[in-house]
């Protein structure tokens, strides 16, 4: 890959949307993030830097500003996800349907704005493994300070920890809402349809800004704009007591707003019998307000226990670990602060102390949401092998060793805010490790490049999808050896979405003649034309002509043109795929996503197609859903040809057919695995059967999520591909054997020594056997280099091979993207200024 000429370009707009609210699923394995533009993202939680994957996105109403989001527990054994609800400042409550990727309103405006929602805690799991972690609120440099936590960090491996089941019975959860009219409203959340109204608590002066439940679900705590915290009895609907929060901090009255509340369990002494540990009492109430104060209150009497003021702005979010011994706070100053319960004081309620430990500033702007997540997916075996390696200096800072603290079943803290980033922190070892950047390129513009050159021969047409518009640009052909040409993209025409609606997907035909996109209502089709203008270097005027599509087509989740540019293939939200003749404006084929009989009882695979790929001979169409199932259709016979159940239980991140062999489909998964599929034979390719399970560790730990594949147009490299993420790219040659990394041989020796095999002869025989199985010889090490990596200096949006034999890289400096963020963080003094 060193000999490949790279053409870099950065002339593209990129403005990601801030994250307003976070929540985790009932089992903690998924995190839902709602952005300001109405987009919902669901991320799969991974036990390492590999595996974080944006499983699906759902476009919601961009006008209704989301204030809070909650994820209800499943109410039946067959249901996996549960209902996902969000509230808006317009007073409505909306449900996000994961199966159909749609949003619909289930509650109209009844009490002005809804500032926060809180779900009733699960009565069957109020033990230390309760999932009630958070309150549901809403520079590339990370200023991580090195103030260390006390060395006496308890492992929190209490004997009362129990594994809670996902299904906990059919009892409906109750939902409390903090409303702008000064009331707290209570609703039942049924299995489907609208919410059932129960009752409202007495209205107070000011606006209700925050709400949370006690862990025994007998009381509700609310915070208002008048600086008061109130405790409500759920059975009598009367106010038990009220707290004047300003007395423990700075400011009071109408100038003090209680933005966030968090209810903790009563600290139980270790000597308490196990059968009595489920008798949870009201413990500590934590509040965060507009003065930057964090206050700990006795939830039973309403008295102040402690107050801290380490934030330099409003405290907008609170969260706690499963054992309720660590509290995290975040706000408008971009800090995440840890407070820890003193270990020696856990046996007495009145002497419990919360000590300030450390803060981390990874975000450049305001932090609006915190939540807890727990990875449950399969962990890579190489991580366990790496634990046997030699331990270096313990005091050496570890910046990128995310897998060293993120393991199966270990909770992690997730933060998000106005800089559109998501970061993961170690909940138990917060002070020892730097946060992990989950989303290095949030909401990157989607880029499509026409295969053929423009009509005037000056370059290739490129389609860049923004939130509410499409930019059509011309990538000019560049000769010579210039590595960077800033003005490589020439603007041709801009297409704004109908009614300024959010664009869900788009596509451009291979010859650059047709452009299509879809919003949440219907798809649209346009023809790109160029009128020649004589006497001006053969340059013309570009325009778009709207074409009609057949009526009744649903909104699309993905779309792609056929290789001959005559048909538009639409993956609809109704779980069907439509083949449309663009010239005749009629549907010539319809496909249903059909699975095997053994999978018909599963509800997980009931999802529309989210990615589609067509072969270069026009015969095959491959479609994948958000769970990783692959469907292959024969466009000539108009039938489904093959179904592939999710590969190694991972989601498909990118794919494509090999230009030199249209029967070969290459896909990558969220587990950083590459699969070569023989579509015609309906089987795994020879390369995958031999090497997929033995990929080099350097690729299995590929930085960032794979976002695309770049196949070379030259037939001499027909068996190769470039796999790229926003952080790096890797060249893979399928005709060259896979050579394991040197450290894998070291790990083999360590693993054999671990099980008592220390004889050098056995190690040598095992090493020889593995190399023979992989068909590797020493000559292949010298003649060809496979899995060649190249790291990117800036986030990369798109990579593609060019006809002249070079590589086109579309990149953007992240600091330029940060400057487009609307809100600025709280001003803080910088040394030397």
């Amino acid at each position: 890959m060193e000999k490949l000429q790279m053409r870099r370009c950065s002339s593209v707009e990129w403005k990601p949307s801030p994250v307003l609210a976070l929540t985790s699923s009932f089992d903690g394995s998924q995190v839902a993030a709602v952005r300001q533009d109405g987009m919902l993202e669901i991320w799969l939680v991974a036990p390492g830097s590999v595996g974080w994957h944006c499983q699906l996105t759902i476009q919601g109403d961009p006008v209704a500003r989301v204030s809070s989001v909650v994820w209800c527990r499943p109410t039946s054994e067959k249901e996996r996800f549960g209902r996902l609800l969000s509230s808006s400042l317009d007073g409505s409550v909306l449900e996000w349907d994961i199966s159909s990727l749609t949003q619909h309103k289930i509650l109209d405006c009844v009490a002005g704005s809804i500032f926060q929602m809180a779900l009733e805690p699960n009565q069957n799991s109020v033990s230390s493994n309760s999932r009630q972690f958070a309150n549901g609120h809403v520079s590339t440099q990370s200023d991580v300070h090195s103030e260390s936590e006390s060395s006496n960090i308890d492992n929190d491996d209490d004997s009362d920890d129990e594994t809670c089941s996902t299904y906990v019975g059919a009892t409906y959860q109750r939902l409390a809402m903090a409303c702008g009219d000064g009331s707290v409203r209570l609703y039942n959340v049924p299995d489907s349809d609208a919410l059932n109204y129960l009752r409202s608590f007495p209205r107070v002066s000011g606006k209700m800004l925050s709400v949370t439940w006690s862990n025994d679900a007998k009381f509700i705590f609310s915070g208002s704009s008048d600086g008061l915290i109130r405790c409500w009895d759920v059975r009598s609907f009367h106010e038990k007591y009220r707290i004047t929060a300003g007395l423990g901090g700075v400011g009071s009255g109408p100038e003090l707003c209680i933005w966030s509340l968090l209810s903790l369990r009563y600290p139980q002494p270790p000597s308490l019998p196990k059968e009595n540990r489920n008798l949870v009492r009201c413990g500590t109430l934590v509040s965060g307000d507009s003065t930057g104060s964090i206050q700990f209150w006795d939830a039973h009497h309403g008295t102040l226990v402690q107050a801290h003021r380490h934030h330099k702005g409003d405290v907008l979010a609170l969260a706690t670990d499963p054992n309720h011994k660590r509290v995290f706070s975040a706000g408008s100053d971009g800090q995440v602060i840890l407070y820890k319960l003193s270990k020696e004081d856990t046996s007495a309620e009145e002497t419990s102390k919360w000590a300030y430990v450390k803060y981390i500033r990874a975000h450049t702007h305001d932090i609006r949401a915190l939540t807890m997540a727990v990875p449950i997916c399969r962990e890579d075996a190489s991580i366990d092998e790496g634990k046997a390696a030699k331990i270096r200096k313990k005091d050496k800072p570890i910046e990128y060793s995310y897998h060293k603290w993120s393991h199966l079943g270990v909770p992690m803290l997730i933060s998000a805010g106005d800089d559109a980033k998501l970061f993961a922190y170690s909940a138990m070892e917060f002070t020892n490790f730097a946060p992990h950047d989950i989303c290095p390129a949030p909401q990157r513009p989607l880029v499509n490049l026409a295969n053929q050159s423009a009509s005037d021969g000056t370059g290739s047409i490129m389609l860049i999808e923004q939130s509410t518009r499409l930019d059509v640009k011309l990538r000019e052909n560049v000769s010579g050896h210039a590595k960077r040409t800033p003005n490589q993209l020439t603007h041709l025409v801009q297409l704004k979405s109908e009614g300024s609606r959010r664009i869900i997907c788009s596509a451009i035909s291979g010859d650059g003649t047709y452009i299509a996109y879809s919003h949440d209502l219907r798809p649209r089709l346009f023809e790109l034309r160029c009128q020649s203008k004589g006497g001006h270097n053969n340059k013309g005027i570009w325009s778009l002509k709207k074409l009609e599509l057949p009526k009744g087509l649903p909104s699309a989740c993905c779309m792609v043109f056929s290789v001959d540019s005559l048909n538009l293939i639409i993956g609809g939200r109704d779980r069907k795929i439509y083949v449309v003749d663009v010239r005749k404006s009629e549907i010539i084929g319809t496909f249903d996503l059909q699975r095997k009989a053994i999978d018909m009882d599963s509800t997980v695979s009931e999802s529309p197609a989210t990615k589609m790929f067509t072969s270069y001979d026009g015969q095959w169409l491959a479609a994948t859903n958000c769970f990783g199932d692959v469907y292959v259709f024969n466009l000539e016979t108009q039938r489904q040809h093959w179904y592939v159940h999710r590969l190694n239980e991972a989601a498909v991140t990118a794919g494509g057919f090999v230009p030199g062999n249209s029967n070969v489909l290459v896909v990558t998964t969220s587990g950083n695995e590459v699969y070569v599929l023989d579509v015609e034979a309906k089987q795994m390719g020879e390369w995958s059967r031999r090497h997929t399970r033995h990929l080099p560790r350097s690729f299995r730990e590929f930085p960032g999520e794979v976002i695309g594949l770049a196949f070379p147009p030259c037939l001499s490299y027909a068996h190769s591909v470039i796999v790229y993420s926003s952080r790096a790219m890797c060249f893979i040659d399928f005709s060259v054997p896979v050579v394991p990394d040197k450290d894998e041989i070291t790990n083999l020796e360590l693993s054999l020594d671990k099980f008592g095999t220390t004889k050098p002869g056995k190690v040598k025989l095992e090493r020889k056997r593995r190399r023979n199985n992989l068909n590797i010889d020493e000559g292949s090490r010298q003649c060809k280099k496979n899995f060649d990596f190249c790291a990117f200096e800036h986030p990369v949006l798109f990579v593609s091979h060019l006809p002249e034999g070079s590589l086109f890289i579309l990149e953007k400096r992240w600091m330029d993207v940060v400057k487009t963020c609307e809100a600025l963080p709280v001003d803080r003094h910088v040394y030397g200024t």
Side-chain angles (χ1 to χ4, degrees):
M1 194 160 56
E2 298 89 349
K3 298 180 181 179
L4 194 61
Q5 188 71 27
M6 299 184 186
R7 311 287 185 181
R8 300 180 184 273
C9 178
S10 59
S11 57
V12 62
E13 294 185 22
W14 180 15
K15 187 178 180 180
S17 181
V19 178
L20 300 180
L22 289 176
T23 188
S24 57
S25 59
F26 184 78
D27 59 359
S29 63
Q30 296 168 295
V31 172
V34 183
R35 298 185 180 270
Q36 187 173 318
D37 61 356
M39 180 75 74
L40 171 77
E41 299 175 351
I42 295 184
W43 290 82
L44 293 179
V45 181
S49 58
V50 176
W52 278 100
H53 170 61
C54 186
Q55 186 179 22
L56 56 88
T57 59
I58 304 176
Q59 179 56 47
D61 185 4
V63 179
R65 184 182 175 92
V66 173
S67 59
S68 178
V69 59
V70 295
W71 205 328
C72 305
R73 67 170 183 255
T75 55
S76 64
E77 294 180 349
K78 294 183 179 181
E79 186 180 2
R80 176 181 177 182
F81 295 106
R83 302 184 71 177
L84 185 57
L85 310 177
S86 66
S87 61
S88 304
L89 293 181
D90 61 1
S92 62
V93 177
L94 301 102
E95 180 176 7
W96 304 82
D97 193 334
I98 298 178
S99 60
S100 62
L101 305 184
T102 57
Q103 179 197 53
H104 58 273
K105 186 179 295 185
I106 59 175
L107 184 65
D108 290 322
C109 178
V110 293
S113 300
I114 300 177
F115 287 94
Q116 197 179 86
M117 298 189 299
L119 277 172
E120 176 185 11
N122 178 22
Q123 294 285 347
N124 295 341
S125 62
V126 293
S127 62
S128 60
N129 205 30
S130 175
R131 299 302 184 202
Q132 297 297 323
F133 296 114
N135 54 15
H137 250 304
V138 314
S139 146
T140 57
Q141 293 178 344
S142 58
D143 185 15
V144 182
H145 292 250
S146 60
E147 180 179 351
S148 62
E149 189 177 356
S150 172
S151 59
N152 296 326
I153 299 178
D154 56 289
N155 296 325
D156 294 324
D157 296 331
D158 296 338
S159 59
D160 59 334
D161 288 353
E162 297 177 1
T163 303
C164 64
S165 174
T166 302
Y167 170 65
V168 293
T171 303
Y172 296 150
Q173 279 185 289
R174 289 176 292 182
L175 182 66
M177 300 181 186
C179 303
D181 64 351
S183 65
V184 175
R185 282 173 163 79
L186 210 58
Y187 290 83
N188 258 342
V189 184
D191 295 337
S192 59
D193 302 328
L195 303 179
N196 298 329
Y197 175 73
L198 294 178
R199 189 172 174 178
S200 297
F201 291 91
R203 187 177 301 178
V204 301
S205 61
K207 301 178 180 179
M208 286 295 184
L209 303 177
S210 55
V211 63
T212 189
W213 290 76
S214 64
N215 285 271
D216 56 4
K218 296 180 180 179
F219 301 99
I220 289 179
F221 303 98
S222 65
S224 56
S225 59
D226 57 4
L228 296 178
I229 302 173
R230 294 173 172 86
C231 177
W232 305 93
D233 192 316
V234 177
R235 292 163 294 185
S236 64
F237 282 80
H238 291 162
E239 181 181 317
K240 182 180 178 182
Y241 62 80
R242 68 179 64 178
I243 300 172
T244 304
L247 296 179
V250 179
S252 61
E255 299 180 357
L256 183 65
C257 296
I258 311 299
W259 292 118
S260 187
L261 291 174
L262 180 66
S263 179
L264 305 177
R265 290 191 307 273
Y266 180 79
Q268 302 172 5
S271 59
L272 188 68
K274 186 174 182 179
E275 59 271 12
N276 296 332
R277 293 186 181 182
N278 288 332
L279 302 177
V280 181
R281 294 173 51 190
C282 289
T284 303
L285 178 67
V286 189
S287 65
D289 56 47
S290 56
T291 66
S293 297
I294 297 294
Q295 296 167 302
F296 295 85
W297 309 88
D298 185 308
H300 184 67
H301 301 96
T303 56
L304 180 65
V305 176
Q306 257 181 302
H308 296 273
R309 196 172 187 273
H310 299 281
H311 284 283
K312 308 210 173 25
D314 297 37
V315 179
L316 303 177
L318 296 170
T320 182
D321 68 332
N323 295 294
H324 289 207
K325 295 181 180 180
R326 290 175 175 85
V327 170
F328 303 90
S329 62
S332 59
D333 58 356
Q335 295 182 120
V336 178
I337 297 181
L338 168 63
Y339 306 89
K340 185 180 177 184
L341 183 64
S342 300
K343 183 177 181 180
E344 62 272 12
D345 297 327
T346 56
S347 59
E349 177 184 4
E350 59 274 7
T351 60
S352 298
K353 297 296 181 182
W354 291 88
Y356 166 82
V357 178
K358 182 187 177 182
Y359 78 90
I360 292 179
R361 184 183 283 116
H363 292 272
T364 58
H365 287 64
D366 300 12
I367 300 176
R368 296 191 176 272
L370 295 175
T371 190
M372 280 284 174
V374 180
I376 62 174
C377 60
R378 181 184 64 85
E379 189 171 16
D380 192 3
S382 63
I383 296 176
D384 293 333
E385 294 176 358
K387 292 180 181 179
K390 182 179 179 180
I391 301 176
R392 297 184 179 181
K393 296 181 180 180
K394 295 182 179 180
D395 56 349
K396 183 178 180 179
I398 303 174
E399 293 293 335
Y400 305 102
S401 301
Y402 173 72
H403 63 82
K404 291 183 179 295
W405 61 262
S406 179
H407 304 290
L408 298 175
V410 178
M412 63 179 66
L413 178 71
I414 312 296
S415 67
D418 286 347
D419 61 356
K421 288 270 194 174
L422 283 85
F423 285 94
Y425 312 76
S426 172
M428 300 304 175
E429 298 178 87
F430 183 78
T431 62
N432 297 336
F433 298 95
H436 171 67
D437 190 352
I438 299 173
C439 188
Q443 290 189 312
R444 59 183 178 87
L446 299 182
V447 182
N448 291 286
L449 185 65
N451 296 330
Q452 301 180 10
S453 300
S455 57
D456 55 5
T458 58
S460 301
I461 298 177
M462 179 176 292
L463 180 66
I464 302 176
E465 177 189 317
Q466 303 289 351
S467 58
T468 59
R469 74 175 193 273
L470 297 176
D471 295 333
V472 182
K473 296 181 179 292
L474 179 67
R475 188 209 58 80
E476 300 177 1
N477 292 331
V478 180
S479 59
H481 300 281
K483 294 184 178 181
R484 187 180 296 271
T485 53
N487 300 320
Q488 214 171 351
L489 298 182
T490 303
H491 178 75
L492 298 181
V493 67
Q494 186 180 100
L495 175 62
K496 293 184 178 180
S497 173
E498 180 185 23
S500 297
R501 295 181 178 274
R502 183 69 161 81
I503 296 177
I504 299 176
C505 59
S506 61
I508 184 172
S509 60
D511 57 2
T513 304
Y514 299 103
I515 292 175
Y517 78 90
S518 176
H519 47 61
D520 58 342
L521 293 182
R522 62 184 70 88
R524 285 286 184 258
L525 178 64
F526 295 85
E527 182 180 1
L528 182 63
R529 296 180 174 182
C530 178
Q531 299 177 356
S532 299
K533 193 174 182 180
H536 292 278
N537 298 327
N538 200 27
K539 292 185 179 180
I541 300 176
W542 295 81
S543 62
L544 289 170
K545 179 184 177 181
K546 182 179 178 181
L547 302 180
E548 295 294 331
L549 284 174
K551 296 182 179 180
L553 286 176
S555 174
C557 296
C558 59
M559 55 175 54
V560 67
F561 282 92
S562 59
V563 66
D564 55 6
S565 304
L566 299 179
N567 300 326
L568 174 62
I569 305 173
I570 298 175
R573 287 186 174 180
D574 58 355
R575 304 182 184 90
K576 292 184 179 181
I577 296 178
Y578 301 88
V579 182
V580 180
D581 190 319
V582 296
R583 295 183 177 179
K584 298 181 180 180
S585 183
E586 62 181 20
I587 301 176
I588 60 176
T590 304
F591 300 111
D592 293 318
L593 302 180
Q594 299 178 355
R595 296 166 287 151
K596 293 182 179 180
I598 59 175
D599 297 321
M600 292 305 295
D601 295 334
S602 173
T603 60
V604 178
S605 298
E606 296 179 359
S607 176
T610 55
K611 292 183 179 65
M612 292 191 299
F613 320 102
T614 55
S615 62
Y616 286 82
D617 62 356
Q619 181 181 5
W620 305 110
L621 168 68
T624 67
N625 60 16
C626 60
F627 301 104
D629 298 320
V630 182
Y631 307 85
V632 180
F633 303 92
N634 192 323
L635 295 177
E636 296 179 352
T637 61
Q638 296 287 323
R639 291 182 180 181
Q640 181 170 330
H641 176 74
W642 190 25
Y643 166 79
V644 182
H645 191 62
R646 60 204 64 155
L647 300 167
N648 202 17
E649 299 298 325
V652 174
T653 57
F657 285 89
V658 177
N661 189 350
S662 296
N663 294 327
V664 176
L665 174 65
V666 180
V667 295
T668 59
T669 66
S670 57
N672 280 9
E673 294 176 324
V674 180
Y675 292 90
V676 179
L677 306 178
D678 190 335
V679 173
E680 187 175 21
K682 298 182 181 181
Q683 65 182 9
M684 197 77 67
E686 177 65 23
W687 187 90
S688 288
R689 292 197 302 267
R690 183 182 295 266
H691 301 300
T692 294
R693 300 295 183 182
H694 306 282
L695 297 179
R697 173 179 292 186
S698 54
F699 183 80
R700 296 198 303 268
E701 297 180 356
F702 193 66
E705 178 186 358
V706 175
I707 60 176
L709 305 179
F711 293 96
C714 181
L715 293 180
S716 59
Y717 294 95
H719 300 286
S720 65
V721 65
I722 290 181
V723 179
Y724 67 94
S725 68
S726 61
R727 292 178 170 176
M729 62 180 176
C730 175
F731 175 82
I732 302 177
D733 192 341
F734 299 118
S735 62
V736 178
V738 177
V739 181
D741 295 332
K742 294 181 179 179
D743 57 348
E744 291 191 359
I745 303 299
T746 303
N747 289 330
L748 172 63
E749 298 174 359
L750 292 171
S751 60
L752 291 175
D753 181 68
K754 179 179 179 181
F755 292 100
T757 306
T758 57
K759 296 182 179 181
K762 290 187 177 182
V763 174
K764 186 176 181 180
L765 290 175
E766 182 64 22
R767 182 190 302 159
K768 183 178 179 180
R769 184 188 63 82
R770 174 175 289 194
R771 287 177 177 173
N772 291 336
N773 290 340
L774 297 177
N775 194 21
I776 296 172
D777 54 18
E778 294 296 336
S780 64
R781 293 176 179 265
Q782 304 296 332
C783 62
K784 293 184 180 180
K785 186 177 181 181
N786 203 2
F787 285 91
D788 189 12
F789 284 85
C790 177
F792 297 136
E793 181 181 359
H794 305 295
V796 167
L797 311 177
F798 180 73
V799 175
S800 177
H801 285 274
L802 299 179
E804 57 265 27
S806 58
L807 192 67
F808 177 74
I809 300 177
L810 187 62
E811 62 184 5
K812 189 74 172 180
R813 292 179 66 250
W814 177 248
M815 290 309 299
D816 295 338
V817 179
V818 170
K819 294 177 182 179
T820 63
C821 297
E822 298 178 358
L824 294 176
V826 176
D827 293 335
R828 56 180 180 268
H829 176 74
V830 179
Y831 180 77
T833 61

